[in-house]
Amino acid sequence: MSVITISKAIERISQADPSSPLAVFQTEHPRRVNVVFANTIWTQKCIARGTWDFLGVFHRENLAEAQQKLDEYVEYMKDAA
């Protein structure tokens, strides 16, 4: 697991190959997310369970979608504070 800033997450997603996407999960810290490889058994189980903190699976070819989802997450965290 890697808890990183939103900007660092976008940087990593922009470099991720579609064959090795990254899964992004919320954390308790505003402006930070947990980024992990999406294809691990643990991550696949979390995704299949539909955990509340799951934001999506992203790679460089869906970077715009990732940016939008992470922007929404930041706005949500602002409203929740």
Side-chain angles (χ1 to χ4, degrees):
M1 290 189 252
S2 181
V3 176
I4 57 177
T5 64
I6 299 290
S7 60
K8 190 58 144 173
I10 292 296
E11 181 181 319
R12 288 193 183 171
I13 292 166
S14 73
Q15 298 171 4
D17 191 86
S19 67
S20 186
L22 300 172
V24 181
F25 296 87
Q26 298 178 33
T27 68
E28 65 277 2
H29 305 288
R31 300 187 187 276
R32 293 192 181 272
V33 289
N34 187 14
V35 179
V36 296
F37 287 109
N39 294 332
T40 67
I41 293 171
W42 178 85
T43 305
Q44 288 298 306
K45 285 182 180 182
C46 289
I47 293 169
R49 278 194 309 253
T51 58
W52 66 271
D53 57 345
F54 177 64
L55 292 172
V57 174
F58 307 109
H59 48 77
R60 66 177 174 241
E61 292 182 8
N62 68 354
L63 182 59
E65 179 185 337
Q67 183 69 58
Q68 179 180 353
K69 189 69 170 184
L70 292 172
D71 287 346
E72 290 170 3
Y73 170 64
V74 169
E75 286 302 312
Y76 169 79
M77 293 302 284
K78 283 181 190 176
D79 291 343

